[in-house]
Amino acid sequence: MPVATDRPDGRLRSAGTSPAVGRDGEKRLRAPLWAKLITVFGAVLLLASTGTAVAATYLLGKVTDNLQTTDSVLGSGGGVGAQTGGKLPDGAVNLLMLGLDTRAGWEKSGLGSRSDTIIVLHIPASRDKMQMLSIPRDTYAQIPADEELHFGGSSGRINGAFMYGSQGTGGWKGGMKLATKAVHDLTGISFNGVVIIDFAGFKDILEALGGVRMCVDQRMWSSHYVVDGKGKISYAKGADPTSPPSNALWFEKGCRDMKAWEALEYSRLRHSANGDYDRQRHQQQLLKAMAKKATSNGVLTNMSKLSKLLEAAGSSLKIDPNGVPIADFFFGLKGLANAEMMPIRSNGGTYVKAPGGAEGTSDETKALFAAAAADKLDAFLLDHPKMTINSTS
């Protein structure tokens, strides 16, 4: 079976044997892919700073020179932003992660973009884990009015909040603001930070790492790429997403070094018995592989590689750090790079009907949100084990 490699012009060509992939189920749970990103770079910055002060300042600049920040979201009042004294709290931390899958130039079009992934990342005061509450993009929610964005309010799927806020001149800041307000109103959670990352930007980070080593645990096929008779791999435009075509790109079982696009593709797909939950497990594997590669001697001792990695990170992230200096924001999360990751599913993994074909929020899920807001998730999950995700659920 052919495997794709990158061409200088950005297209794909074939060469060798390919990996396998899993196809998307109905729910879009990309939690680990976005949630651990900033903690990985906190660890890298910490390790880099053990060198000279000049080197640490230079490397931090590689992140901050390209990083886009705002204080217009969590500083807008209404309890959306947690109270801060200019630093991350010693206790629990709640971050909102918004993942976009957009094309270049979307902001200039003024049409806006929907948030493809919405994750509440709860870090308990014990700092021994990251509990990731995925909010399905089709969750029915009240989207509040915002006079500055000239938006009168609405109700419907929660991923529409980012779109309404980002339309016209709102851009990513407007989208972030309205999405954060909608999630706050739905969950009751006040946030210590909001992070946006675009799917395309994540690929840039993987490319700066030079790819990662991944292990495919089950043979899976890609609904995004196909292979022609000459072994050339191309985008599967208009392909049937429910069953593999005869020329499907397959990921075969086994461990090997993957290029950036291959590793990212493997982590995206969910054509498997456990659907979304298999994908989350594969995404956890990807992030662990990224963290291992990013903190390896081959990267940390190579100033060129390290600066490219941090520059890619800075270019890929948009953050409202809630008044915390950005260096302190990253360093404040440095201890989490190897913390346990605990993905949590709303509604116990079952569909709850809501108006307009959207997904509802069960009373149990509302209690889950309240437990996160009060930093009592551990006790809640002991009584509601079906809401946690593991490799067999």
Side-chain angles (χ1 to χ4, degrees):
M1 299 252 176
V3 65
T5 57
D6 292 324
R7 288 166 42 128
D9 60 6
R11 297 175 61 194
L12 306 174
R13 58 184 173 86
S14 69
T17 358
S18 173
V21 110
R23 172 60 185 147
D24 298 50
E26 291 186 356
K27 291 193 178 181
R28 306 175 70 89
L29 300 176
R30 292 182 184 168
L33 190 58
W34 318 109
K36 205 173 181 184
L37 181 65
I38 56 174
T39 67
V40 169
F41 294 112
V44 171
L45 285 171
L46 173 69
L47 292 171
S49 68
T50 59
T52 67
V54 173
T57 302
Y58 167 77
L59 292 169
L60 182 59
K62 283 294 185 179
V63 176
T64 57
D65 285 352
N66 296 300
L67 185 70
Q68 297 183 65
T69 64
T70 183
D71 59 4
S72 63
V73 176
L74 298 180
S76 60
V80 176
Q83 291 186 348
T84 175
K87 67 182 184 67
L88 285 173
D90 296 327
V93 173
N94 289 300
L95 305 178
L96 178 61
M97 324 294 289
L98 301 171
L100 307 182
D101 197 353
T102 58
R103 295 184 179 183
W106 71 269
E107 284 190 281
K108 293 181 179 179
S109 72
L111 298 177
S113 173
R114 294 180 185 270
S115 46
D116 201 43
T117 303
I118 305 171
I119 301 298
V120 174
L121 176 62
H122 176 73
I123 302 167
S126 58
R127 300 296 173 95
D128 60 342
K129 62 179 70 71
M130 292 180 289
Q131 295 164 316
M132 296 166 289
L133 287 66
S134 176
I135 300 177
R137 54 177 286 167
D138 291 335
T139 297
Y140 184 83
Q142 298 297 321
I143 302 173
D146 189 292
E147 186 175 347
E148 289 184 356
L149 296 172
H150 309 291
F151 178 68
S154 181
S155 60
R157 290 173 172 82
I158 197 167
N159 68 334
F162 194 97
M163 182 190 69
Y164 291 131
S166 61
Q167 286 178 331
T169 59
W172 69 266
K173 294 179 183 178
M176 177 189 275
K177 181 181 180 183
L178 202 56
T180 303
K181 290 174 68 175
V183 174
H184 168 72
D185 289 355
L186 176 72
T187 64
I189 296 172
S190 298
F191 295 103
N192 303 97
V194 186
V195 179
I196 291 175
I197 181 171
D198 195 283
F199 197 70
F202 202 84
K203 183 172 180 287
D204 292 338
I205 297 168
L206 277 165
E207 287 179 341
L209 283 172
V212 292
R213 185 167 184 80
M214 296 284 286
C215 293
V216 178
D217 55 8
Q218 55 185 317
R219 188 174 188 257
M220 303 171 79
W221 63 278
S222 168
S223 59
H224 298 111
Y225 295 101
V226 293
V227 186
D228 66 17
K230 297 181 180 180
K232 180 181 177 181
I233 296 174
S234 59
Y235 184 71
K237 184 177 181 180
D240 178 5
T242 60
S243 59
S246 59
N247 61 341
L249 171 65
W250 286 88
F251 283 71
E252 305 292 346
K253 290 178 65 174
C255 300
R256 66 181 186 82
D257 293 332
M258 290 188 186
K259 291 186 178 294
W261 76 268
E262 293 176 291
L264 194 56
E265 176 69 358
Y266 177 58
S267 74
R268 291 179 69 186
L269 303 178
R270 43 190 175 180
H271 288 300
S272 60
N274 293 316
D276 270 316
Y277 308 126
D278 276 344
R279 184 175 70 170
Q280 284 206 341
R281 184 161 47 83
H282 298 152
Q283 289 173 350
Q284 287 179 326
Q285 181 194 0
L286 173 62
L287 284 161
K288 289 177 181 177
M290 288 178 65
K292 183 177 181 180
K293 186 76 175 281
T295 55
S296 67
N297 286 336
V299 174
L300 287 178
T301 59
N302 186 315
M303 185 63 75
S304 176
K305 287 184 179 180
L306 188 56
S307 63
K308 286 179 181 178
L309 170 62
L310 296 177
E311 187 174 1
S315 300
S316 303
L317 298 174
K318 299 175 177 66
I319 298 179
D320 185 330
N322 198 25
V324 178
I326 200 65
D328 295 342
F329 187 82
F330 279 112
F331 282 118
L333 299 169
K334 63 183 180 295
L336 294 168
N338 295 312
E340 176 190 0
M341 298 174 66
M342 182 183 293
I344 300 167
R345 53 189 169 195
S346 61
N347 297 337
T350 59
Y351 178 78
V352 176
K353 188 176 181 180
E359 182 162 359
T361 302
S362 66
D363 290 339
E364 187 179 45
T365 298
K366 293 175 183 177
L368 171 74
F369 293 150
D375 193 24
K376 295 181 178 179
L377 262 184
D378 285 343
F380 178 87
L381 293 172
L382 283 175
D383 293 333
H384 302 82
K386 69 178 182 179
M387 302 193 84
T388 60
I389 300 171
N390 56 51
S391 60
T392 59
S393 21

